[in-house]
Amino acid sequence: MTSEPQSTEALFRPFSLKTLSLKNRIVMAPMTRCMAPEGIPGPANAEYYRRRAAGDVGLILTEGTVIDRPASRNHYGIPFFHGEAALAGWKGVADAVHGAGGRIAPQIWHTGSTRAGKWEPEAPVESPSGLVGPEEPRGVVMTEEDIADTVAAFARAAADAKRLGFDSVELHGAHGYLIDQFFWDGTNKREDVYGGATIAERSRFAAEAVRAVRAAVGPDFPLILRVSQWKQQNYDARLATTPDEMTAWLAPLVEAGLDILHCSQRRVWVPEFPELDGENGLNFAGWAKKLTGAATISVGSVGLDTEFFGAFRGQGSAAAPISNLLERMARDEFDLVAVGRVLLADPDWAAKVEAGRFDDLRGFSGEAMKELV
């Protein structure tokens, strides 16, 4: 890989928001590993995250870890964020990261009615309308009692994150999982207050979860929500086709108590509304920041020449320049950037970028998905 011409200074500025203080703008993206036996993270999980903190990642977002609901996970190796044993395991993870000088937030999750292979939970999967995709039935329709219990479970998990010493918490509201299934008209056909023809109406569940979490953690604990236009069920899905629709979707969530929007797209350099500001226009995180005033995290294939879907088929990806990212960071288009697969391949990626060692950056091998190292 050839050396980058731009300064990396913008990427290594400190960042502070409420009680969260980061040494740089690099975030480890949450990546499902399915390597928590019996749902309990152990020493191997702690060491995995500690190594990335030691490699100068500013903020680590954990893999998705599920709330206390029947069928809240779609794979037996996904960790719990409830129960004495699992929470003790997560405290060990947080302590290991802090010992290496890092900061960490758990990504709190409910997988809704999605599948991740042949494994099935003991209880029926649940979703807004008993759908996993448009006109694709799966599982049961959530009652209003189910919804209230789920909101409460998100709040308990967030309170536990604060109690255990985590630095922030992220709710997973993207990629076609439960919160996103409420957002998406392809999976939310409800006729009560949790449904509706507009994205603003379908955001009620997420807003209630955010308000409950904010009440549980207090005003100063930073709260992140991951959102996406695309779904695993439909890569071309869009919740907001105009800036006005995006404002209607995201602004009420910020008003409900969010501090940071984690805006997931498949490629970080792709403009969200090129018809408005051109082929080099603002990306998803850039527009979200402009429209809501919230801090944003951008993510999508940083440092690699292919997007991540091939990783689940064992495909690798070569290292790629980050020139476009550096340009966007320098003009403060968004506040933070999340990096995924390159950190699986190389825990020291951030330190190498800061030192200007671009020729030493590695690509991603599909083998990295098979081990927790």
Side-chain angles (χ1 to χ4, degrees):
M1 181 176 177
T2 58
S3 298
E4 298 278 350
Q6 290 99 334
S7 167
T8 62
E9 181 181 358
L11 198 54
F12 290 93
R13 294 170 295 169
F15 174 83
S16 295
L17 194 159
K18 294 185 175 178
T19 58
L20 181 65
S21 181
L22 307 179
K23 58 187 173 183
N24 61 45
R25 305 301 178 103
I26 297 175
V27 177
M28 179 177 176
M31 290 175 282
T32 299
R33 303 310 309 276
C34 296
M35 295 182 186
E38 306 300 323
I40 300 169
N45 307 86
E47 176 61 14
Y48 162 74
Y49 289 113
R50 187 205 65 80
R51 288 189 65 197
R52 276 75 191 170
D56 280 345
V57 171
L59 174 65
I60 289 173
L61 295 176
T62 75
E63 63 207 280
T65 175
V66 296
I67 61 172
D68 187 10
R69 281 290 295 166
S72 61
R73 62 179 185 167
N74 61 11
H75 189 284
Y76 63 86
I78 290 172
F80 299 126
F81 207 81
H82 59 87
E84 184 176 345
L87 293 177
W90 279 118
K91 186 177 189 308
V93 172
D95 289 348
V97 168
H98 289 152
R103 299 291 180 265
I104 184 168
Q107 186 189 67
I108 307 301
W109 195 21
H110 187 312
T111 61
S113 58
T114 60
R115 298 182 179 89
K118 296 181 179 179
W119 183 82
E120 293 282 348
E122 293 182 3
V125 296
E126 59 185 2
S127 66
S129 301
L131 301 169
V132 68
E135 300 181 1
E136 186 178 354
R138 175 166 161 78
V140 299
V141 177
M142 295 176 74
T143 65
E144 291 194 6
E145 182 179 4
D146 293 332
I147 289 172
D149 288 347
T150 301
V151 167
F154 275 113
R156 286 196 303 275
D160 282 333
K162 182 180 180 181
R163 176 177 60 82
L164 294 173
F166 283 87
D167 302 286
S168 180
V169 65
E170 173 171 287
L171 306 184
H172 196 339
H175 304 166
Y177 297 112
L178 182 70
I179 293 176
D180 201 18
Q181 289 181 334
F182 276 89
F183 288 145
W184 189 25
D185 61 2
T187 46
N188 185 346
K189 304 296 184 182
R190 299 179 71 96
E191 297 181 355
D192 61 5
V193 295
Y194 296 100
T198 68
I199 182 60
E201 291 171 310
R202 298 191 302 275
S203 294
R204 180 180 178 127
F205 172 74
E208 287 189 3
V210 169
R211 281 193 291 269
V213 167
R214 175 55 67 206
V217 299
D220 297 325
F221 193 69
L223 175 55
I224 309 168
L225 175 69
R226 196 177 214 200
V227 290
S228 69
Q229 298 264 35
W230 67 270
K231 321 296 168 204
Q232 60 185 287
Q233 300 94 322
N234 181 351
Y235 297 154
D236 297 322
R238 288 173 68 79
L239 299 177
T241 59
T242 67
D244 285 346
E245 287 184 347
M246 187 173 287
T247 301
W249 169 27
L250 300 178
L253 303 178
V254 173
E255 292 169 5
L258 285 180
D259 297 300
I260 302 175
L261 289 163
H262 184 179
C263 301
S264 175
Q265 60 185 107
R266 293 161 64 184
R267 297 171 295 276
V268 74
W269 55 89
V270 174
E272 189 64 25
F273 300 116
E275 67 278 11
L276 298 180
D277 56 6
E279 293 302 318
N280 293 312
L282 298 176
N283 72 4
F284 181 19
W287 273 104
K289 180 178 180 177
K290 177 180 179 178
L291 296 171
T292 70
T296 58
I297 304 170
S298 191
V299 63
S301 305
V302 171
L304 296 173
D305 66 355
T306 62
E307 55 191 37
F308 65 89
F309 298 116
F312 297 102
R313 300 188 293 272
Q315 297 175 2
S317 184
I322 58 171
S323 305
N324 184 274
L325 169 66
L326 294 173
E327 292 169 1
R328 292 175 185 271
M329 292 296 298
R331 62 179 182 247
D332 290 319
E333 181 174 331
F334 39 81
D335 300 276
L336 301 159
V337 62
V339 181
R341 288 168 294 156
V342 291
L343 283 175
L344 293 187
D346 188 356
D348 297 318
W349 184 87
K352 289 178 179 179
V353 171
E354 185 171 22
R357 295 167 53 197
F358 292 101
D359 291 335
D360 293 338
L361 298 181
R362 306 175 195 169
F364 168 78
S365 167
E367 294 300 308
M369 295 288 288
K370 299 178 181 179
E371 296 181 310
L372 196 68
V373 296

